[in-house]
Amino acid sequence: MIGIYFSGTGNTRFCVEYLLQQLETDAKAYSIEAENVSEQIKKEQEIILGYPIYYSNLPKILNDFIIENKDLWMDKKIYLVATMGLFSGDGAGVAARQLKKYGAKITGGLHLAMPDCICDEKVLKKTLEKNRAMVNKSKVKIEAAANRYKEGRPTKEGLNLFYHMAGLLGQRLYFYNKTKNYTDKLKINKEKCIGCGKCAGLCPMKNITIEEKKAISHESCTMCYRCINNCPVQAITLLGDKVVQQSVIEKYL
Ligand SMILES: Cc1cc2nc3c(=O)[nH]c(=O)nc-3n(C[C@H](O)[C@H](O)[C@H](O)COP(=O)(O)O)c2cc1C
Ligand code: SF4
Ligand code: SF4
């Protein structure tokens, strides 16, 4: 078994690692950003795949990863873990449909509510205590899901037609275009930026470069919010205009 994930701010990485721990396996979890990840996938038949939900859909970077590695998925048994701030409809279903096209066998799905990583919008902001409680609740859910997996009856959240309709009607029909392409809308406040380079080093898309001691954003942002939540002077925004509360999983553990 192997764990694979994409995680902007750590929620999904934590959930996949915690699930593997509860499954009492020595399986390792790899980010899709890891250099040798395709080689690791090739070797294993059973996969736990985790990702955050963006607008009830897959992050573009994960969608592209699935397509670029389409030869890897044939006959793999894949259990899907979708993390979200509130609601996704068919969070597990969106990857399931994609992976099935390439011959994967979907063994189950799990939806986990985690702290909202969109730190420049007031909506969905919770206190530190509430976010910690949310993570604890998801840990309990992961423990129960691990037991079911071990008993051979994995959870099936997000996989049937009812979830599919909820995902479509809940959001995807309205927001479909938002995750179709990478975005050039990331904003960096030059007055605030101290040129530390942290954002450039963290970006999974290499979308940020440092020029003349200032960060510059290009056109291939996957909207993961990693740089925005980690900038020491809160100089970066995307959907909103001001960072309200930075969010990374380490704050809640
Ligand atoms: C661009 C964007 C869109 C999002 N859309 C949704 C959504 O449709 N529904 C939801 O419940 N959460 C949504 N979220 C919240 C994330 O899914 C959630 O915080 C997730 O756990 C982040 O995981 P990560 O830390 O592994 O990146 C969105 C986050 C981003 C950055
Ligand atoms: S992390 Fe913030 S301060 Fe550092 S280079 Fe990036 S934008 Fe500038
Ligand atoms: S620019 Fe920031 S939000 Fe966009 S992909 Fe890179 S780290 Fe993520």
Side-chain angles (χ1 to χ4, degrees):
M1 178 185 277
I2 189 176
I4 305 292
Y5 62 84
F6 175 68
S7 183
T9 61
N11 291 348
T12 311
R13 181 190 67 234
F14 171 79
C15 292
V16 169
E17 285 175 347
Y18 193 65
L19 177 59
L20 288 179
Q21 200 183 318
Q22 296 308 304
L23 287 170
E24 292 159 351
T25 140
D26 53 7
K28 290 201 173 61
Y30 295 85
S31 164
I32 62 165
E33 296 160 65
E35 248 175 40
N36 59 348
V37 64
S38 306
E39 290 308 308
Q40 299 297 338
I41 297 173
K42 256 182 220 161
K43 287 191 233 159
E44 305 290 337
Q45 270 312 104
E46 213 174 331
I47 298 173
I48 308 283
L49 175 63
Y51 50 89
I53 286 299
Y54 296 170
Y55 298 109
S56 286
N57 215 338
L58 290 181
K60 170 86 171 138
I61 189 175
L62 183 75
N63 197 45
D64 284 357
F65 178 82
I66 292 175
I67 296 169
E68 278 157 20
N69 290 286
K70 56 178 189 288
D71 298 338
L72 288 182
W73 312 117
M74 183 58 75
D75 292 332
K76 301 279 187 199
K77 293 182 179 146
I78 308 182
Y79 182 78
L80 298 161
V81 177
T83 75
M84 57 204 73
L86 183 68
F87 168 80
S88 77
D90 56 347
V94 279
R97 287 191 291 281
Q98 186 76 296
L99 288 160
K100 276 194 221 164
K101 283 193 222 160
Y102 305 123
K105 303 205 165 29
I106 305 304
T107 55
L110 180 63
H111 287 181
L112 298 166
M114 292 293 279
D116 171 42
C117 64
I118 302 182
C119 60
D120 55 359
E121 288 274 9
K122 282 208 181 96
V123 215
L124 291 182
K125 288 294 148 300
K126 295 191 173 65
T127 60
L128 188 62
E129 288 65 37
K130 283 198 173 145
N131 276 326
R132 284 191 173 144
M134 200 175 187
V135 172
N136 283 333
K137 210 170 158 192
S138 281
K139 282 173 79 176
V140 173
K141 196 169 174 188
I142 292 171
E143 287 157 17
N147 284 335
R148 285 193 49 165
Y149 195 97
K150 284 190 269 187
E151 290 160 14
R153 42 180 204 99
T155 54
K156 303 275 182 189
E157 279 183 297
L159 297 177
N160 67 27
L161 186 65
F162 170 77
Y163 286 109
H164 192 169
M165 293 315 289
L168 268 180
L169 301 175
Q171 295 203 47
R172 212 157 43 249
L173 282 181
Y174 313 105
F175 291 127
Y176 179 68
N177 283 332
K178 302 257 188 200
T179 45
K180 209 171 154 194
N181 297 306
Y182 294 111
T183 181
D184 60 359
K185 299 281 186 291
L186 194 89
K187 297 159 275 188
I188 301 178
N189 183 328
K190 280 202 173 154
E191 306 292 309
K192 282 190 177 177
C193 173
I194 54 168
C196 69
K198 194 172 184 188
C199 52
L202 287 174
C203 177
M205 294 298 303
K206 302 198 183 344
N207 178 56
I208 300 178
T209 51
I210 306 293
E211 289 164 33
E212 293 173 5
K213 296 192 180 152
K214 296 287 171 189
I216 311 278
S217 174
H218 301 276
E219 293 159 1
S220 55
C221 168
T222 192
M223 300 195 288
C224 74
Y225 266 76
R226 190 184 293 166
C227 60
I228 309 168
N229 280 297
N230 281 286
C231 171
V233 293
Q234 310 195 341
I236 317 177
T237 52
L238 176 56
L239 297 174
D241 293 323
K242 191 174 179 285
V243 173
V244 184
Q245 181 190 91
Q246 284 177 313
S247 173
V248 286
I249 187 66
E250 289 75 17
K251 277 172 78 170
Y252 312 120
L253 302 177

